[in-house]
């Protein structure tokens, strides 16, 4: 019995156009929609956590297994296996490293092993972009990005695609040098945008139409009473914003509610655990808004809280598109899996 798989390293992934944000936004939208059409299998994350608490995890690290199947034009199964080494920066290594395995949904055989590191940042940026498209004010001009790491680049790219009205970007990082590095790279890419490295989060949030949090915070540093009317507060990672950001919101929107409750690290999840937020308080998942059963932003005054936990089906959608292109154009290395 012989069986080959395709191996796609980071360079091969670039050749498949993994960094195409417009395509990733379409993939992510499709994944949200297929989720609500029940054309996915989305069993949630399994967290291989070092230590006992989230605080331990943010020092010692974790590896998350995120399996899934996505139907529609993708028709692909697989798993995202993402290592997070928070102390990797001391060795000059990125925090996140991602391996994606794709499996034929019929035979269940593996067909591809790929570096999914770029997929992960691109699809997370795309998720943020979809949230901005549906939930931010149509004329949003100021965004504050908290956390100037790997995700910040794709959050910004997608934000500028989905809200081309943006003119000013405040950047806050607990390590100001990270914000400096992020800004000097971004200035070259977006010369018409005004960038501001700030350590005054309150002032930055108070003037922002969009606040996009991609940090490793485990203690909230953003207060709800700083949010101006019409703000979209995006809790893209863990415990970054206080309960008031949820309580004062006119709408609470998420990507995958059951997964958020299962992961149990974001503000709205912790509030749900403490009985401060109920299932019926949730306005919508993004997919419900995309298929039209729930409303997007309805006025310029609404404050909207958004939380994303992510799911393997988002990565598998992007990976499946890249894999199909690799097959068509002979990109990557064919490896004998069974000889
Ligand atoms: N929602 C999703 O689907 C999804 C997907 C991928 C990553 N994430 C999350 O996004 C976050 C960022 O990921 P990354 O790959 O960019 O990480 P990274 O390590 O590359 O960057 C994180 C940045 O946040 C800064 N930071 C840490 N704590 C902070 C604090 N309290 N206040 C301000 N800045 C702080 C760090 O200095 C660093 O510059 C992680 O928590 C990750 O789990 C979410």
């Amino acid at each position: 019995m012989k069986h080959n798989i395709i191996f796609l390293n980071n360079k091969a992934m670039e050749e498949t156009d993994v960094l195409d944000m417009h395509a990733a936004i379409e993939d992510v939208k499709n994944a949200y929609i297929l989720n609500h059409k029940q054309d996915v299998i989305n069993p949630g994350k399994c967290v291989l956590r070092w230590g006992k608490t989230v605080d331990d995890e943010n020092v010692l690290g974790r590896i998350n297994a995120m399996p899934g199947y996505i139907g529609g034009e993708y028709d692909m199964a697989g798993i995202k296996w993402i290592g997070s080494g928070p102390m990797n920066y001391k060795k000059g290594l990125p925090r996140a490293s991602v391996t994606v395995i794709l499996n034929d949904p019929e035979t269940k055989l593996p067909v591809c092993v790929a570096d999914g590191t770029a997929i992960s940042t691109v699809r997370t940026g795309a998720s943020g972009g979809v949230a901005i498209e549906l939930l931010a004010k149509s004329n949003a001009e100021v965004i504050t990005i908290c956390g100037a790491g790997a995700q910040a680049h794709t959050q910004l790219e997608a934000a500028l695609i989905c809200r081309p009205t943006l003119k000013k970007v405040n950047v806050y990082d607990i390590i100001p040098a990270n914000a400096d590095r992020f800004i000097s790279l971004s200035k070259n890419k977006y010369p018409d945008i005004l960038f501001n490295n700030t350590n005054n989060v309150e002032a930055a949030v108070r003037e922002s139409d969009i606040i996009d949090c991609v940090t490793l915070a485990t203690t909230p540093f953003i207060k709800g009473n700083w949010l101006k009317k019409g703000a979209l507060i995006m809790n893209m990672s863990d415990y970054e914003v206080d309960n008031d950001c949820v309580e004062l919101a006119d709408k609470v929107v998420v990507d995958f509610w059951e997964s958020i409750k299962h992961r149990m690290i974001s503000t709205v999840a912790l509030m749900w655990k403490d009985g401060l937020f109920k299932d019926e308080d949730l306005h919508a998942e993004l997919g419900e808004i995309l298929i039209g059963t729930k409303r997007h932003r309805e006025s310029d005054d609404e404050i909207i809280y958004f939380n994303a936990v992510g799911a393997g089906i988002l990565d598998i959608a992007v990976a499946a598109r890249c894999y199909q292109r690799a097959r068509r154009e002979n990109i990557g290395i064919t490896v004998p899996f069974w000889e």
Side-chain angles (χ1 to χ4, degrees):
M1 178 65 227
K2 290 188 178 186
H3 178 66
N4 291 338
I5 61 172
I6 295 181
F7 177 69
L8 299 170
N9 72 5
N10 58 336
K11 287 282 164 210
M13 286 304 291
E14 275 176 30
E15 284 176 53
T16 67
D17 252 351
V18 66
L19 298 173
D20 180 343
M21 182 58 80
H22 291 273
I25 288 172
E26 285 314 303
D27 291 331
V28 164
K29 279 185 183 168
N30 288 337
Y32 289 141
I33 290 169
L34 289 166
N35 182 47
H36 278 279
K37 290 184 172 169
Q38 296 179 357
D39 196 6
V40 303
I41 305 171
N42 185 19
K45 290 184 189 187
C46 168
V47 182
L48 178 61
R49 174 190 282 165
W50 275 257
K52 292 198 170 67
T53 65
V54 173
D55 283 331
D56 289 345
E57 180 181 326
N58 277 345
V59 179
L60 302 172
R62 62 174 182 259
I63 313 180
N64 284 355
M66 298 162 68
Y69 162 77
I70 180 160
E73 68 196 72
Y74 301 95
D75 192 27
M76 186 62 75
I79 188 166
K80 171 187 193 179
W81 179 229
I82 170 166
S84 170
M87 296 300 131
N88 282 2
Y89 72 92
K90 294 183 178 168
K91 297 179 178 166
L93 295 169
R95 181 189 63 81
S97 57
V98 185
T99 311
V100 168
I101 303 172
L102 295 179
N103 294 69
D104 180 313
E106 197 185 327
T107 63
K108 318 297 191 271
L109 260 60
V111 293
C112 178
V113 173
D115 172 23
T117 311
I119 296 177
S120 184
T121 53
V122 166
R123 72 77 156 147
T124 307
S127 300
V130 174
I132 287 172
E133 186 178 312
L134 300 173
L135 306 174
K137 271 166 60 176
S138 56
N139 57 353
E141 292 192 357
V142 184
I143 182 170
T144 292
I145 295 184
C146 300
Q151 300 295 338
H153 295 272
T154 49
Q155 290 296 315
L156 177 61
E157 182 181 3
L160 294 175
I161 289 172
C162 295
R163 269 303 169 277
T165 50
L166 285 169
K167 293 184 169 64
K168 181 176 178 188
V169 181
N170 295 315
V171 184
Y172 165 70
D173 198 290
I174 205 164
I175 303 173
N178 288 0
D180 277 339
R181 193 168 349 110
F182 172 72
I183 289 175
S184 67
L185 288 168
S186 304
K187 262 185 183 164
N188 286 337
K189 213 167 159 192
Y190 312 107
D192 296 336
I193 300 290
L194 177 67
F195 287 93
N196 170 37
N197 182 351
T198 181
N199 56 14
N200 187 344
V201 204
E202 179 175 348
V205 169
R206 281 189 186 278
E207 70 162 353
S208 291
D209 303 302
I210 303 169
I211 304 100
D212 190 343
C213 301
V214 272
T215 72
L216 308 179
T218 51
T219 312
F221 60 89
I222 292 185
K223 295 190 175 160
N225 61 17
W226 297 347
L227 299 174
K228 71 173 189 180
K229 276 188 174 181
L232 168 64
I233 173 85
M234 299 167 65
N235 183 186
M236 294 301 290
S237 20
D238 304 347
Y239 192 31
E240 310 173 300
V241 308
D242 75 2
N243 290 4
D244 283 349
C245 290
V246 177
E247 265 159 21
L248 294 173
D250 298 285
K251 288 189 169 86
V252 172
V253 178
V254 298
D255 59 353
F256 301 101
W257 182 225
E258 290 308 315
S259 306
I260 283 173
K261 290 189 289 185
H262 178 255
R263 181 77 175 102
M264 193 47 71
I265 52 171
S266 64
T267 308
V268 70
L270 295 168
M271 287 176 71
W272 178 84
K273 187 178 73 172
D274 294 340
L276 301 172
F277 186 88
K278 306 235 171 336
D279 288 335
E280 53 272 26
D281 296 330
L282 182 73
H283 172 67
E285 293 188 334
L286 285 181
E288 293 174 288
I289 300 178
L290 286 165
I291 61 174
T293 54
K294 294 281 173 71
R295 301 288 296 153
H296 43 65
R297 172 176 287 274
E298 287 164 282
S299 94
D300 273 356
D301 283 348
E302 281 181 320
I303 291 177
I304 302 186
Y305 165 91
F306 173 69
N307 179 216
V309 66
I313 54 170
L314 304 177
D315 299 81
I316 292 163
V318 176
R321 172 174 52 79
C322 295
Y323 164 72
Q324 295 302 356
R325 175 144 181 204
R327 280 191 54 168
R328 280 196 310 273
E329 299 180 15
N330 248 334
I331 297 169
I333 302 169
T334 300
V335 179
F337 186 72
W338 286 335
E339 287 198 89

